[in-house]
Amino acid sequence: MSIDSTLSPIPLVDLQTQSRLLKDDILRRIGDVIDDARYILGREVEEFEKEFSSYCNVDHCIAMANGTEALHMALRALEIGPGDEVITAGNSFAATAFAIAYAGAQAVLVDIDPLDFNIDTRLIEQAITPQTKAIIPVHLYGQPARMNEIREIAKRHNLRIIEDSAQGHGGEINGERCGSFGDIGCFSFYPGKNLGAFGDGGAVTTNNPELAEKLRLLRNYGQKQKNKHDSLGYNCRLDTVQACVLLSKMRFIEEWTESRRQVADWYRDELADTDVILPKAHEDCRHVYHLFVVRTPHRDAMIAELGKQNIYCGIHYPHPLNTAGPFVQAPTFPHGLPVCSQLASEICSLPMYPEMTRQQVARVAEAVRVFASNQTPKHELV
Ligand SMILES: Cc1ncc(COP(=O)(O)O)c(C=O)c1O
């Protein structure tokens, strides 16, 4: 593929601009940690937990090593394990289903709504059996899952809710924040996330004090006091150095989220008259646009064409979870996850980051528009 190098690159995400902006502040905070050698569960971790719980409008935040372990610890705290089933969306990142498997439970995969890309709540009840213990809705791409419907289903069937909010920082439904809808909310601070560390990081949120206490023990070898292990625990702590990065970035998360929403509005304006399908954003939701995902049956050719113009797209995710080795036998509703399967070949994540300019969005949109106008339909879109 020959790339037109006269055009400056537009990456899928930009991890450098924010870090450059905050470098001095972050280095100063890390310098303090080095001076006092508070590398594990230092003061900054507690400070970050306070800030993040208030951001999510919940009583408790417990910082974790990463988002996958946040999900795993949430399942452990709710004592979900062998013999239990947990329902989740068939199009999530593999970590959601992996965490269920780590706990020894069975992942049950449900198909998605083709317009908002989240779990299709009309299908959830078909997937419930006497073994079902919990639902893990995923706020995929930054759009909150339909939590009001999910809460009603969970109440009717006495199920727990664990939110996978790895992509949902600051998302809302009618003013309620992601991470506050379920029994436990799970976040990732992987570098590319809307709030990203300089390595791995994660957190759980809850309004339940007993669960909060359990989660604190679980992440730190079951210790209330050093070397007194009251229960089985894990090593799932957020490093103090990562808490410094997150504290520094927390000051800008709202500004960055609003910028992402602005970029999404620009894309919507620019792409309104093309054949690519734009993501549906529910009116009662604050979509935080971790990713801006469009659909076209000519996805691979479009990514290749944009690449030639130095514009870089992604696919989140190219394979539904029922095709991943550990989950090929997982129950699926409906059988084979037809919507997830079709969308896996159509979805394309366009460049999205808070620092994107109107001109950059216009350049991406123009490339998409020209490409789309030269295609003839390949297959029916669902
Ligand atoms: C939806 C979803 N769930 C879980 C995870 C796992 O988070 P982490 O990479 O921090 O372990 C991620 C992120 O990669 C994710 O996007």
Side-chain angles (χ1 to χ4, degrees):
M1 178 172 80
S2 79
I3 295 171
D4 185 346
S5 55
T6 60
L7 296 167
S8 55
I10 302 182
L12 175 64
V13 291
D14 173 3
L15 298 184
Q16 280 161 324
T17 308
Q18 293 180 359
S19 306
R20 247 185 254 123
L21 172 77
L22 298 177
K23 191 170 170 187
D24 291 344
D25 182 64
I26 291 170
L27 288 177
R28 179 188 56 74
R29 289 171 192 263
I30 293 176
D32 288 350
V33 174
I34 295 172
D35 288 343
D36 293 352
R38 303 186 298 271
Y39 302 117
I40 303 292
L41 295 182
R43 167 166 59 69
E44 289 77 2
V45 174
E46 218 174 298
E47 228 177 280
F48 172 69
E49 290 176 339
K50 279 206 187 93
E51 288 210 11
F52 198 67
S53 58
S54 126
Y55 182 71
C56 297
N57 209 7
V58 292
D59 292 339
H60 309 276
C61 166
I62 298 97
M64 296 277 173
N66 55 63
T68 311
E69 283 303 323
L71 287 161
H72 177 205
M73 292 303 104
L75 288 155
R76 295 272 176 203
L78 294 171
E79 295 173 18
I80 292 170
D84 297 334
E85 294 177 0
V86 179
I87 291 170
T88 195
N91 63 339
S92 188
F93 180 58
T96 317
F98 271 53
I100 298 169
Y102 296 162
Q106 172 69 60
V108 174
L109 305 172
V110 168
D111 218 345
I112 54 163
D113 177 324
L115 299 179
D116 76 3
F117 306 115
N118 277 327
I119 192 164
D120 187 337
T121 52
R122 295 164 303 183
L123 299 171
I124 292 176
E125 282 185 299
Q126 296 175 25
I128 295 174
T129 73
Q131 283 69 49
T132 310
K133 290 290 175 323
I135 307 174
I136 306 188
V138 184
H139 306 310
L140 204 69
Y141 311 149
Q143 167 135 260
R146 303 311 288 154
M147 292 309 301
N148 291 333
E149 287 92 317
I150 291 168
R151 282 194 290 209
E152 273 173 32
I153 295 168
K155 200 165 161 202
R156 258 200 309 278
H157 296 272
N158 195 23
L159 304 177
R160 301 293 210 151
I161 298 175
I162 299 171
E163 289 168 71
D164 184 338
S165 198
Q167 304 186 6
H169 317 69
E172 291 176 4
I173 302 176
N174 291 325
E176 272 187 88
R177 279 261 152 113
C178 289
S180 72
F181 295 108
D183 295 279
I184 302 176
C186 300
F187 290 85
S188 165
F189 305 122
Y190 181 80
K193 296 294 195 253
N194 287 21
L195 181 65
F198 285 176
D200 282 307
V204 292
T205 51
T206 183
N207 281 316
N208 179 321
E210 286 90 42
L211 284 178
E213 173 69 11
K214 240 170 155 177
L215 286 155
R216 278 188 201 286
L217 291 177
L218 277 164
R219 78 157 171 200
N220 192 24
Y221 297 115
Q223 305 177 97
K224 261 189 200 146
Q225 281 166 261
K226 197 162 174 60
N227 295 324
K228 192 157 179 315
H229 306 276
D230 296 325
S231 52
L232 183 70
Y234 301 81
N235 178 354
C236 287
R237 304 165 300 213
L238 178 75
D239 290 338
T240 312
V241 163
Q242 301 301 350
C244 292
V245 178
L246 295 169
L247 274 168
S248 185
K249 289 190 170 186
M250 271 302 289
R251 299 170 302 150
F252 298 94
I253 174 100
E254 276 306 279
E255 192 183 306
W256 291 336
T257 301
E258 283 309 311
S259 299
R260 286 178 182 275
R261 288 168 53 75
Q262 174 67 79
V263 169
D265 283 348
W266 288 334
Y267 271 132
R268 287 185 190 282
D269 282 352
E270 300 269 353
L271 292 172
D273 58 351
T274 64
D275 285 343
V276 295
I277 299 186
L278 303 179
K280 179 183 169 103
H282 294 285
E283 278 190 7
D284 58 357
C285 285
R286 182 189 195 213
H287 191 321
V288 295
Y289 293 102
H290 174 56
L291 294 165
F292 191 85
V293 177
V294 299
R295 287 173 54 199
T296 164
H298 313 283
R299 188 266 315 278
D300 293 339
M302 185 171 89
I303 290 181
E305 176 53 35
L306 268 60
K308 282 187 210 153
Q309 299 179 41
N310 235 343
I311 296 168
Y312 298 93
C313 301
I315 304 173
H316 301 85
Y317 297 93
H319 309 289
L321 284 173
N322 62 328
T323 63
F327 307 109
V328 284
Q329 307 284 2
T332 52
F333 293 87
H335 181 67
L337 304 176
V339 179
C340 288
S341 301
Q342 179 163 341
L343 264 59
S345 66
E346 296 173 356
I347 46 175
C348 170
S349 310
L350 297 180
M352 166 55 83
Y353 44 93
E355 299 76 17
M356 260 189 108
T357 63
R358 171 108 220 196
Q359 288 70 25
Q360 286 175 312
V361 172
R363 204 179 111 203
V364 177
E366 176 64 9
V368 170
R369 198 179 307 117
V370 171
F371 172 82
S373 66
N374 289 326
Q375 308 304 310
T376 43
K378 205 164 133 196
H379 61 245
E380 286 290 309
L381 293 165
V382 285

